[in-house]
Amino acid sequence: MGKAQVAWDELSARQRAYMEVMYAEDQGLEEERRTLAAQGRFSESPARVWRRIFLSGMYAPTPRALRARGVWESGAGSTLAALADRGLIELGTTDTWAQFALLTRAGRAAVRAGLGIAPTPRKEPWELSEWLWREMAKVARAGAEGLLTEELFGSAHLYLVTGYGMHRGNRPYLEVHEQFVAYTPRDFNGQPYEGRQASRTVRRYRFTAEGRAHYVEHVARTTASSTRTSRRLTWPRPERSSGPRAAPGPGSRSAGCRGGGRRRRTRSARRRRTGGPSRGAAG
């Protein structure tokens, strides 16, 4: 029997209820942190700050859950102190004197052992988070042409693109390639200006040698470990392409003619409703 199981068996029913509720909030805070990171919303606050389980306040999740179990109103302080003495939690207060608790590693291990919860496997040093793997897969899917820079999600460039070495966790797996695309400018009616040429810069992400090697080496292992990401993490063959196409400008035929036709139809419909003469009517 391990130390974690022994620590759990030595707890009373009341102490176990406290540990279960605090563990549930601790894991919820961790999941919230992971979700925000996947959305590109990062915070520099340490775990000792964002893992705080607040014990004061009418709407604090842990007191409310313990109150529903009928084990909060009386004796809460002594129960928390006993858990802290066992090294399962740490107690503290904020600058505004709000009380909070922190689950220790021993505390999480005791709850997992008592409830039969398998511990979360640790990431290998080479592993990227799932959302960064998705961005790597998008670059792989783009093939030799590369992925347009605006299609890379959120702040992924801080962690994957060369030139951001000052950012913690950066790996130089992608690099920016610039290409000048020539096109013929058009007027408001969509007609090309004869004898005039213009160009614009198109920026795309492509794998560096290190990034390509990392992806090829680890994509199979990552796919095997997560069926949810296996649909995305594939190494496709580069598709043939005749080169990037310039997007139609605001004065292109497709943009200008549709807008003009819509305005003409609107004016004609308004005249019919009000009984006014149409444009082609005789005076």
Side-chain angles (χ1 to χ4, degrees), residues 39-233:
Q39 297 172 353
R41 299 161 59 187
F42 297 93
S43 173
E44 297 296 333
S45 56
R48 292 187 62 85
V49 174
W50 60 263
R51 279 190 181 273
R52 289 175 178 175
I53 302 170
F54 287 96
L55 305 173
S56 57
M58 183 180 300
Y59 301 105
T62 288
R64 188 166 55 177
L66 291 173
R67 192 177 295 113
R69 296 193 182 195
V71 293
W72 176 253
E73 299 299 345
S74 61
S78 59
T79 302
L80 293 169
L83 294 174
D85 292 340
R86 293 174 179 271
L88 302 179
I89 66 172
E90 296 179 7
L91 299 175
T93 56
T94 65
D95 296 338
T96 58
W97 301 102
Q99 296 180 329
F100 65 86
L102 289 169
L103 278 184
T104 62
R105 290 186 177 180
R108 293 189 195 91
V111 176
R112 292 190 184 110
L115 302 181
I117 302 173
T120 305
R122 291 189 175 183
K123 289 175 57 177
E124 297 290 339
W126 54 265
E127 283 188 281
L128 292 171
S129 59
E130 183 179 339
W131 75 284
L132 288 178
W133 268 113
R134 286 199 298 267
E135 302 313 302
M136 292 279 284
K138 285 162 64 174
V139 177
R141 194 176 298 115
E145 187 179 29
L147 181 74
L148 290 172
T149 55
E150 57 266 26
E151 294 183 12
L152 199 72
F153 177 76
S155 57
H157 63 284
L158 299 177
Y159 299 91
L160 298 175
V161 180
T162 57
Y164 293 92
M166 76 295 293
H167 196 280
R168 182 179 178 183
N170 175 267
R171 306 186 189 191
Y173 291 162
L174 305 177
E175 57 188 357
V176 180
H177 287 260
E178 293 186 350
Q179 184 177 13
F180 294 98
V181 179
Y183 67 96
T184 301
R186 297 173 180 268
D187 60 20
F188 182 78
N189 296 317
Q191 300 300 322
Y193 288 107
E194 296 184 4
R196 292 182 59 180
Q197 287 289 317
S199 64
R200 63 185 181 92
T201 304
V202 176
R203 296 178 175 85
R204 297 177 180 269
Y205 289 125
R206 298 177 186 171
F207 280 119
T208 62
E210 182 180 354
R212 183 181 293 272
H214 178 90
Y215 189 89
V216 172
E217 180 181 358
H218 298 299
V219 65
R221 194 181 309 180
T222 306
T223 301
S225 64
S226 175
T227 56
R228 182 169 58 168
T229 58
S230 63
R231 293 189 295 271
R232 305 185 183 99
L233 302 183

